[in-house]
Structure formats: C-alpha cells, structure tokens
C-alpha cells in the first residue's frame, strides 16, 4: 500500500513539473536561456 501512495505522489510531482514547463513554453519562456533574449541574442525563440 505504501508503494502505491509513493508512486502516486511521484507521478503527481512529475505531472506538475511537465505542466509548469508547458505553461512557461506557451508564455514564451525558454528552458535554455530563461527568456532573457538580450543575454542569449534571441536565438532561443
């Protein structure tokens, strides 16, 4: 029973992380440069 609970918690954490990355991507932020285009030259968008 404990294994199932831990598994559900891990899956929930992964789901929230993926949701956050998708939301950031839609908002124009990039994982590579953090959305600071003057720092990376705009090559990430």
């Amino acid at each position: 029973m404990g294994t199932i609970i831990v598994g559900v918690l891990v899956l929930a954490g992964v789901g929230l992380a993926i949701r956050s990355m998708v939301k950031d991507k839609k908002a124009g932020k990039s994982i590579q440069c953090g959305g600071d285009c003057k720092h990376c030259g705009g090559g990430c968008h």
Side-chain angles (χ1 to χ4, degrees), residues 3-20:
T3 304
I4 294 172
I5 294 171
V6 171
V8 168
L9 290 175
V10 169
L11 286 175
V14 170
L16 288 174
I18 291 172
R19 179 177 158 216
S20 174

Side-chain angles (χ1 to χ4, degrees), residues 5 8-9 29-30 36-38 40:
I5 294 171
V8 168
L9 290 175
K29 296 179 184 176
S30 175
D36 185 11
C37 288
K38 54 187 174 176
C40 71

